[in-house]
Amino acid sequence: MHTAAGESPGGPRYGDHVDLRGGRFYGPVSLGTPPPQPPPGPDVLSALPAAPVGFTGRETELAALLRGLRPPDGSAAPGPARPWAVTGLGGIGKTALVLRAAHTARDAGWFSGGVLFLDLAGYDDAAVSPASAVASLLYALGVGDAHLPSKEVNQHALYLSRLATLADEGRRVLLLLDNVREAGQLPPLLPGSGAHRVVFTSRESQPSLPVRELALGPLSPRDSTALVTEALEGDDRLEREADSVGELTALCEHLPLALQIAAALLRRHRSRGRVASLVEELRSGHRLAGTLHSPGVDQYGRPLALAPVFEASMSRLPDGRARALCLLARIACADYDTDTAAEVTGLPAAETLDVLDDLACAHLVTRDEPGDEGRERWRLHGLVRSYACARDAADPGTAAAAHTARARVRRYLARRAEECDRHMPFPVHDPSPDAVRRREAALAWFDAEHANLVAAVLWPEDDEPEARVRLALSLAGYLRWRRFFEDWIAVGRTARPLARRLGDERAEAAVCNELGAALSRGGPSHEAIEPLTRAAHLFRRVGDPTGEGMAWNNLGLAQRRSGDPGAALATHTRARGRFRDLGDRWNEGRAQHNMGLALSAVGRDAEAAEAFVLAGELHRGHDRIYHGDSLSSLGWALYLGGRTAEAVTALQEALRIRREYDNWYATGLTGSNLALALEVAGRSAEAAEARAEADVACARAGTRAIVYGHHH
């Protein structure tokens, strides 16, 4: 301020009259009694709750967060620091992770200015407003009532000023903001200096803000068990009932809050005895998310109950999103691609994608990266599914909508499975690049939808028998190729009475044939004989000689595997005659091959080898995969007959063919047989190489390297 005329050299005294006419001012001026100045802040601020007790897992996430909080080295100028957002489903352990990181950082001396923690209560009935948050943080910074400006804008300016002063003094501050509900809560609270660090938690992603997001998923099974063990330290039930503890953590879907509630229930009901009792109680409950509650509060005063946490998240959803979530929950799919989800919601795919994006931002569904088929997939956490299913259980409108959605999904899956099944024949039937690509795409779709396709046949609703039978038949070829025998049997057993109810004898014959084939390969073989005999009878009645011959061929396999190779040889001979009369060389070759298997089973190895040679001739140049089958079986028959050198030659050629396709089971077992033959031939080094390759292939197929199974 320039001195006004007539001013005494000593300057004005407070209360004196000063003539300021003509003066020029730079910055604020105060005359009269000066306002009270805020007292100096504490040397080190500390508003950090206690570290979480029993924190387990999260090593990767904790390391990432600590890297973000670590002070920069001396060569790096502090630039704008992006806040860290720790997001995830309610109860996933966001606050525990943030507090663990904060205590570690504080103890390491990274924040000499202190640590501030504020719960913004975003999911309570009354969230903390930005203005109230600023006032609370000012109190933490040492600004009490007497020094707090009355206007919010001045409070905000003072807040930024105090943080700037600390930054100028080289004193970094860590600001933790818990339970942020929406992006608008954050900007007024962010420091103006890049020296400080901000971490906030939210049940929702905040895509409008430039933040580093750390999204949390469920714990691993090992870490879930560790959490329960830590919470029940010294409880001898854990060691006695290790299996039940594993079942308990699985029922809790590895959600930390659910695990804490389960531990509290075990502490509360210690007198009731076994962990298995709680497991049974939770498993038998129709509302698992509602069952998981315990009196009292946790370490931070929060209720031990899941349902209110999930309800708070669902009540925040935009219009229609909660309904979509409830429908998705009621359709018992393991996961969904966007097209399947569109069938559930009844919306166009583009609108469904918007819905799924909103649900993913709320962490009520999880978006998986596109797999081999190039499509995104979406999953519900099991406890979210449980809660969403129970939320409107008494509403008849919701039940009716779910029933309609389930029918849409089943019909859609049946259509797609039929389309993909048409492209499943082996490439030898059409080796063109386009056909191979179509087959690979069909296999990728079946692989991605495998669990959902099986479930859609097995859903217990007694309706839509036609769609369920169509789906079962379209799925059979894939299940056979991938050797999913249990699923193949379950699908066949479900579809058989449905086909009979339809009165469609051709469909019933096809289902019986597939069921028998599945039982002969993966179930009690003797149980396959009845449905295969029924299939042959029905195919004859509907005038389908090819189907009848295929049923006989499968029946012969079941007879051999049931311990009656003589009957099997007769049945395969009959099937071969039928196919020969029809001029069907492909199926004739299959029957010829199976005759060789029956001959080998009764020790007639020389005749078996001749049968396999004939089968190979029928398939040579016509079906390379079955030609490989015949060579593999021929090699084993020659090995059993002591013709080792010839056996090695046949098995090596068979293995070359096996490698061309993704049938790892056949590749592994043929390689195993080759290793045995090479060992007998004295070619140990080659045998070791063949055995190592066989072990890898069998591991990929989920089996073990043993002698080729058809011969035993």
Side-chain angles (χ1 to χ4, degrees):
M1 183 180 74
H2 286 235
T3 304
E7 182 177 340
S8 65
R13 297 187 304 274
Y14 289 113
D16 290 347
H17 173 75
V18 180
D19 186 356
L20 300 177
R21 287 175 292 181
R24 298 175 65 189
F25 302 92
Y26 300 90
V29 174
S30 175
L31 299 177
T33 304
Q37 297 299 309
D43 289 338
V44 178
L45 306 169
S46 183
L48 192 59
V53 175
F55 182 87
T56 61
R58 306 291 192 207
E59 290 88 356
T60 301
E61 296 91 340
L62 181 60
L65 190 52
L66 288 173
R67 282 195 299 272
L69 300 182
R70 189 184 304 275
D73 59 41
S75 63
R82 290 174 180 262
W84 279 80
V86 178
T87 64
L89 179 65
I92 205 72
K94 302 179 292 295
T95 304
L97 173 65
V98 167
L99 289 175
R100 179 60 177 265
H103 277 272
T104 301
R106 186 189 66 178
D107 295 345
W110 293 353
F111 294 97
S112 58
V115 181
L116 300 177
F117 179 92
L118 183 62
D119 185 352
L120 295 179
Y123 300 93
D124 294 349
D125 293 337
V128 176
S129 68
S132 297
V134 167
S136 296
L137 291 170
L138 279 172
Y139 274 108
L141 288 165
V143 181
D145 285 333
H147 305 286
L148 192 67
S150 59
K151 293 185 177 180
E152 292 178 3
V153 65
N154 294 334
Q155 292 177 10
H156 184 249
L158 181 57
Y159 167 69
L160 295 179
S161 174
R162 293 304 294 266
L163 289 176
T165 298
L166 289 168
D168 291 342
E169 295 171 354
R171 302 168 65 192
R172 302 170 78 237
V173 172
L174 173 59
L175 177 60
L176 304 179
L177 303 170
D178 201 23
N179 288 311
V180 171
R181 183 176 68 186
E182 54 193 19
Q185 289 181 288
L186 281 172
L189 309 182
L190 300 180
S193 170
H196 304 309
R197 293 292 179 265
V198 178
V199 180
F200 70 90
T201 71
S202 180
R203 298 180 194 174
E204 302 163 40
S205 298
Q206 303 295 340
S208 66
L209 296 173
V211 300
R212 293 184 178 91
E213 183 170 5
L214 189 61
L216 301 187
L219 294 173
S220 69
R222 177 179 62 85
D223 291 334
S224 295
T225 300
L227 189 154
V228 174
T229 302
E230 178 73 19
L232 295 170
E233 184 179 5
D235 193 322
D236 59 2
R237 290 177 295 180
L238 300 180
E239 186 174 351
R240 290 200 316 268
E241 299 185 71
D243 290 343
S244 293
V245 173
E247 293 179 60
L248 180 62
T249 61
L251 280 170
C252 292
E253 296 280 344
H254 309 295
L255 185 75
L257 176 56
L259 295 166
Q260 291 166 3
I261 294 170
L265 289 170
L266 287 171
R267 286 194 297 267
R268 179 179 178 82
H269 301 312
R270 189 182 301 271
S271 61
R272 296 187 186 177
R274 302 183 305 132
V275 177
S277 299
L278 177 59
V279 169
E280 184 59 32
E281 180 183 346
L282 294 176
R283 183 178 285 125
S284 62
H286 299 295
R287 301 179 58 179
L288 182 57
T291 304
L292 278 167
H293 66 88
S294 176
V297 296
D298 71 0
Q299 176 184 355
Y300 301 109
R302 299 169 300 193
L304 289 170
L306 273 181
V309 173
F310 292 162
E311 180 56 34
S313 293
M314 289 188 67
S315 65
R316 289 262 306 142
L317 294 174
D319 291 344
R321 272 41 175 175
R323 175 185 179 276
L325 180 66
C326 290
L327 287 177
L328 288 167
R330 285 169 174 258
I331 308 302
C333 288
D335 57 6
Y336 316 83
D337 69 5
T338 303
D339 289 339
T340 305
E343 296 294 332
V344 175
T345 63
L347 299 171
E351 291 184 38
T352 300
L353 193 56
D354 288 339
V355 170
L356 292 169
D357 279 337
D358 285 343
L359 294 176
C361 278
H363 293 277
L364 292 167
V365 304
T366 301
R367 179 195 291 108
D368 290 338
E369 291 300 318
D372 293 339
E373 81 285 2
R375 303 299 301 275
E376 287 181 313
R377 301 194 71 81
W378 311 81
R379 292 179 292 107
L380 272 71
H381 189 279
L383 292 175
V384 172
R385 182 188 294 276
S386 169
Y387 179 75
C389 283
R391 189 172 188 253
D392 299 317
D395 181 4
T398 301
H403 185 273
T404 301
R406 194 176 295 109
R408 279 197 306 266
V409 170
R410 185 187 277 124
R411 290 194 293 268
Y412 163 74
L413 292 176
R415 289 195 306 271
R416 286 297 311 275
E418 285 178 336
E419 293 168 7
C420 290
D421 187 49
R422 284 197 289 270
H423 299 304
M424 279 290 291
F426 304 132
V428 292
H429 298 294
D430 183 355
S432 67
D434 284 346
V436 172
R437 280 194 295 271
R438 287 194 297 269
R439 180 175 182 273
E440 289 175 347
L443 263 176
W445 184 82
F446 273 124
D447 284 340
E449 297 292 345
H450 165 209
N452 296 335
L453 293 165
V454 172
V457 177
L458 304 184
W459 286 339
E461 291 77 7
D462 190 24
D463 60 359
E464 298 212 309
E466 182 179 0
R468 295 167 77 180
V469 169
R470 284 169 48 209
L471 181 53
L473 292 174
S474 299
L475 189 53
Y478 165 76
L479 296 175
R480 180 191 305 113
W481 178 252
R482 289 295 195 218
R483 300 181 63 80
F484 293 136
F485 295 136
E486 290 185 8
D487 289 339
W488 193 10
I489 292 169
V491 163
R493 282 179 166 157
T494 301
R496 183 179 182 181
L498 296 172
R500 179 176 295 177
R501 200 179 89 195
L502 286 171
D504 185 339
E505 290 189 333
R506 186 178 296 275
E508 185 183 350
V511 169
C512 285
N513 189 41
E514 293 293 349
L515 173 58
L519 286 166
S520 71
R521 288 164 173 81
S525 298
H526 67 277
E527 292 185 15
I529 292 173
E530 183 275 324
L532 289 169
T533 303
R534 173 71 174 169
H537 171 70
L538 289 172
F539 277 128
R540 187 182 311 117
R541 280 180 49 169
V542 299
D544 185 346
T546 299
E548 184 181 1
M550 293 175 68
W552 286 341
N553 220 359
N554 284 325
L555 177 59
L557 292 174
Q559 290 168 330
R560 176 174 59 82
R561 289 167 178 154
S562 299
D564 193 351
L569 181 60
T571 303
H572 289 310
T573 302
R574 184 182 184 188
R576 184 189 63 175
R578 172 56 56 87
F579 293 131
R580 183 174 290 171
D581 292 343
L582 292 169
D584 186 344
R585 286 174 58 85
W586 186 66
N587 274 313
E588 181 186 349
R590 295 182 68 183
Q592 181 70 51
H593 179 268
N594 292 340
M595 288 174 61
L597 297 179
L599 288 165
S600 180
V602 295
R604 296 159 62 179
D605 296 314
E607 295 173 76
E610 292 177 9
F612 293 136
V613 169
L614 288 173
E617 290 301 319
L618 286 165
H619 284 137
R620 185 189 301 275
H622 180 64
D623 190 319
R624 189 160 172 78
I625 289 179
Y626 277 115
H627 185 212
D629 278 357
S630 298
L631 283 170
S632 186
S633 296
L634 171 62
W636 184 248
L638 292 169
Y639 172 81
L640 292 177
R643 298 157 65 180
T644 307
E646 296 172 80
V648 168
T649 300
L651 289 167
Q652 286 176 329
E653 179 60 23
L655 190 58
R656 279 192 287 273
I657 295 173
R658 299 295 205 200
R659 292 184 186 125
E660 297 173 8
Y661 308 101
D662 63 348
N663 190 339
W664 297 107
Y665 175 83
T667 301
L669 296 187
T670 299
S672 176
N673 291 351
L674 175 60
L676 291 172
L678 287 167
E679 195 70 51
V680 170
R683 298 158 64 176
S684 299
E686 294 173 81
E689 291 179 6
R691 184 168 293 108
E693 180 182 356
D695 287 341
V696 171
C698 286
R700 295 187 68 171
T703 184
R704 58 191 180 90
I706 55 174
V707 173
Y708 194 78
H710 288 171
H711 302 285
H712 290 266

